Amino acid sequence: MQYFGTKNPHVDLVELGLANTTTYWNLAPSELIQKSIQLEEGQLNETGALVIKTGKFTGRSPKDRFIVKDSFTAEQVDWGDINQAIAPEHFDTLYKEVVQYLDQLPAVYVQDAYACTDATHRLNIRVHTEKPWQALFVNNMFLNPEWSELKSIGSDWQIFVASGYHANPEIHGTRQSNFTILNFTKRKIIIGGSAYTGEIKKSIFAVLNFLLPLEKQILPMHCSANVGKIGDTALFFGLSGTGKTTLSTDKNRQLIGDDEHAWSDEGVFNFEGGCYAKTIDLSPEEEPQIYDAIKFGALLENVGFKDEHQTIVDYADSTITQNTRVSYPIQHIDNIVEQERSATPNNIFFLTCDAFGVLPPISKLTREQAMFHFLSGYTAKVAGTEAGVEEPEATFSACFGLPFLPLHPIVYMNLLGEKLKADASINVWLVNTGWTGGAYGTGSRMKLSYTRAMIQAALNGTLASTIFKKEAFFDLSIPTVCPGVPSELLDPQKTWKDQLAYDQQAAHLKTLFQQNFAPFEAHTDIPVLRTQKKKQAA
């Protein structure tokens, strides 16, 4: 085997079965970009970012993610549609064939990286990829060891990415030809049949979501995090379209990270070393920090162009996919927390885009309500944005990240509850970035300026001194006054012209919440849920 680059001399890939291919170890971003261009797999845009296409798959394929079911995982994993089981022997066969496939390629790109900015919980990762731009993604998204470490670094987990290898479902136990399989016993991940880079990122997130709660009682979180000038930490949870990235990226606050964090006894720390942002309809006016971060070293995926020379990106172009993306090192943003860690959060925001138009624009949650809404992970699809969606459609994703939770959601909810119980000074807010004055099609979308004003008032303590009142359907505490926001907007019921229609819509949404909670009912008895159940029975 021939290799180039810097590696641990004691690591021999021949033992893994990679005996024939040339391996490139820990190449610099400039070298990986050059390789991609030489192979005609990418090109530079006008700002210097590498533009590539991921092929058939332009997003994750959650129905094709599996976890090996063995004696270690059998009683721990929350098996079902999210965490699908695959037999150890199927993994072994696929792993052997994936390695054989990689070994037949002209070259394989190996990157040593790690997750978790808190050194106490560091997870070393070695990633073997088919494409040089996949290695660039690894370099962008994970944390990079010091150059001096590369000659001695080991790996806690290994990932093998074989985009061009396709499984046979009848032989390999997969659903179709693409797959992502996690083996917690062997600490290996194999990805085949898909070149979408997000599969790499989220597979390690799932690993941490399994290991940290079980081994260390640490809460992993699918959220953004930032820090104010006085050192106060804020967390932002929210599903796609709720404004998580936009609201956590604030020129007056330093960004810890935009997607994956953990909350330990020492505080909050980032899992990653980069950002993976959606770029559809990106503009310098709305999201200047993300826009300016797209420069040399950044990786743009599946975007269209405005010019025939294909150098000027058209961020409104969704011809390939709505899920156009960019990955870049967090250092591409000026206003960051260099160590990507901070103290225990002072404020937590659960963001929801309520297309039903009945949730308050901001409300303060009790500990029990926080646990309930964390477990719910609610937002709503907007009518007309997807085929077959004719009216607002509720979406629930437990803990705002159900596809990435190997353990039962109650585990994560209880961890949150314990942390809130240990520090009663933490404020938790439910923020509706969706509709007011009516549902989608009748009401209007909450102005971003109003949402920013409410979050600012929560962060600077203004809302804490305001008078709150109870809303009727969800027992939420809503402020009566907020600087920069019309008072009548704070109470959603007052924004509806038809009060009966509001009552009916609110009752309908409440029922959807209760139906979503039903499968969890046997696992928890937090008071807010008992109260809601009694109200429903009444």
Side-chain angles (χ1 to χ4, degrees):
M1 171 187 281
Q2 191 175 28
Y3 82 87
F4 299 91
T6 304
K7 78 177 191 73
N8 184 335
H10 300 293
V11 174
D12 187 356
L13 296 187
V14 174
E15 298 175 358
L16 299 177
L18 293 172
N20 301 306
T21 184
T22 297
T23 54
Y24 290 92
W25 286 75
N26 298 307
L27 296 188
S30 58
E31 295 174 297
L32 294 169
I33 291 167
Q34 185 178 34
K35 288 285 184 185
S36 299
I37 294 172
Q38 288 173 344
L39 293 169
E40 298 184 345
E41 293 181 353
Q43 63 193 81
L44 298 182
N45 79 331
E46 62 170 347
T47 66
L50 181 67
V51 182
I52 58 94
K53 292 180 172 61
T54 62
K56 176 182 177 181
F57 291 95
T58 58
R60 288 184 308 102
S61 186
K63 292 182 179 180
D64 298 295
R65 194 205 73 167
F66 301 87
I67 296 175
V68 174
K69 189 173 185 178
D70 56 21
S71 58
F72 179 55
T73 58
E75 301 302 319
Q76 303 283 6
V77 172
D78 182 30
W79 302 107
D81 293 338
I82 299 297
N83 299 307
Q84 302 175 95
I86 194 167
E89 53 268 29
H90 284 317
F91 175 87
D92 291 342
T93 300
L94 274 169
Y95 171 73
K96 181 179 179 181
E97 293 183 12
V98 161
V99 171
Q100 288 174 343
Y101 169 84
L102 291 173
D103 196 40
Q104 294 169 4
L105 297 176
V108 171
Y109 302 85
V110 186
Q111 292 292 123
D112 285 305
Y114 68 96
C116 300
T117 56
D118 187 329
T120 309
H121 311 297
R122 173 170 167 166
L123 188 80
N124 286 336
I125 306 160
R126 181 167 294 132
V127 189
H128 315 74
T129 68
E130 178 173 348
K131 307 290 186 182
W133 45 266
Q134 292 168 331
L136 177 65
F137 177 85
V138 172
N139 184 86
N140 285 350
M141 292 309 305
F142 295 114
L143 295 150
N144 296 306
E146 296 294 330
W147 201 251
S148 58
E149 290 183 80
L150 294 177
K151 292 186 177 181
S152 60
I153 195 168
S155 61
D156 300 310
W157 275 76
Q158 296 192 62
I159 306 177
F160 299 83
V161 184
S163 312
Y165 171 84
H166 298 277
N168 183 335
E170 294 182 4
I171 298 174
H172 298 117
T174 58
R175 186 180 72 98
Q176 52 185 24
S177 63
N178 64 299
F179 56 87
T180 296
I181 306 178
L182 284 64
N183 190 321
F184 283 96
T185 297
K186 296 188 174 181
R187 297 183 300 176
K188 288 182 170 64
I189 298 167
I190 52 176
I191 300 171
S194 171
Y196 180 64
T197 57
E199 297 283 10
I200 303 171
K201 164 186 159 71
K202 289 304 184 186
S203 64
I204 288 296
F205 186 45
V207 167
L208 291 166
N209 274 309
F210 182 84
L211 298 178
L212 292 180
L214 280 182
E215 296 180 355
K216 303 184 179 183
Q217 290 298 294
I218 290 175
L219 174 62
M221 304 176 294
H222 191 208
C223 71
S224 301
N226 64 27
V227 179
K229 294 178 180 178
I230 61 172
D232 60 300
T233 303
L235 305 179
F236 296 80
F237 292 84
L239 302 180
S240 179
T242 59
K244 179 175 60 133
T245 300
T246 300
L247 292 169
S248 63
T249 307
D250 184 336
K251 64 181 181 180
N252 296 312
R253 297 176 65 84
Q254 291 182 298
L255 185 70
I256 303 173
D258 82 329
D259 197 41
E260 300 173 7
H261 296 83
W263 183 354
S264 70
D265 291 340
E266 288 72 41
V268 172
F269 62 89
N270 196 353
F271 286 162
E272 303 180 302
C275 302
Y276 192 42
K278 283 189 175 183
T279 61
I280 194 70
D281 295 324
L282 180 69
S283 72
E285 295 78 22
E286 290 293 328
E287 295 178 292
Q289 288 187 310
I290 296 173
Y291 191 89
D292 291 340
I294 303 176
K295 52 191 177 184
F296 187 77
L299 180 68
L300 276 166
E301 299 178 1
N302 303 313
V303 296
F305 294 92
K306 293 181 179 180
D307 64 319
E308 60 180 340
H309 301 293
Q310 296 192 337
T311 58
I312 303 174
V313 175
D314 182 357
Y315 290 111
D317 189 339
S318 60
T319 303
I320 298 175
T321 178
Q322 281 278 342
N323 190 39
T324 55
R325 293 271 182 172
V326 63
S327 69
Y328 51 85
I330 197 168
Q331 289 77 16
H332 278 204
I333 294 177
D334 293 329
N335 198 26
I336 62 170
V337 178
E338 289 292 341
Q339 71 272 23
E340 298 183 57
R341 300 191 301 276
S342 188
T344 296
N346 303 84
N347 288 279
I348 300 172
F349 298 94
F350 295 155
L351 307 176
T352 178
C353 177
D354 178 26
F356 293 92
V358 297
L359 289 181
I362 191 166
S363 51
K364 193 170 188 293
L365 304 180
T366 65
R367 172 177 170 268
E368 290 79 13
Q369 288 174 328
M371 294 168 70
F372 172 68
H373 285 280
F374 184 61
L375 188 65
S376 299
Y378 163 72
T379 193
K381 293 179 183 177
V382 176
T385 59
E386 293 186 16
V389 181
E390 302 297 334
E391 58 184 26
E393 185 176 296
T395 298
F396 296 93
S397 184
C399 311
F400 298 95
L402 184 60
F404 319 118
L405 306 183
L407 307 177
H408 196 284
I410 291 293
V411 172
Y412 308 96
M413 185 202 75
N414 286 338
L415 278 172
L416 175 68
E418 290 168 11
K419 293 187 177 299
L420 295 177
K421 186 177 182 180
D423 188 346
S425 69
I426 299 171
N427 297 308
V428 186
W429 309 88
L430 181 66
V431 177
N432 175 19
T433 63
W435 271 255
T436 184
Y440 174 83
T442 302
S444 58
R445 184 78 187 258
M446 197 73 61
K447 289 184 179 180
L448 179 59
S449 60
Y450 290 159
T451 301
R452 287 192 187 279
M454 288 181 278
I455 288 177
Q456 180 59 32
L459 290 170
N460 65 25
T462 303
L463 284 187
S465 60
T466 258
I467 296 173
F468 285 78
K469 67 176 185 179
K470 289 288 187 179
E471 137 322 306
F473 285 88
F474 296 89
D475 200 33
L476 297 170
S477 295
I478 57 178
T480 54
V481 177
C482 178
V485 182
S487 296
E488 62 273 14
L489 196 70
L490 297 171
D491 185 346
Q493 190 170 16
K494 291 182 178 179
T495 65
W496 283 56
K497 294 179 181 179
D498 187 336
Q499 293 300 298
L500 178 60
Y502 171 83
D503 291 348
Q504 291 173 337
Q505 192 80 305
H508 172 60
L509 181 58
K510 180 178 176 180
T511 298
L512 295 178
F513 267 93
Q514 292 167 329
Q515 290 173 346
N516 176 72
F517 169 68
F520 303 116
E521 191 167 13
H523 302 278
T524 184
D525 61 350
I526 57 176
V528 64
L529 303 182
R530 289 203 302 265
T531 301
Q532 287 196 351
K533 185 180 178 184
K534 287 177 182 177
K535 286 183 178 179
Q536 185 184 35

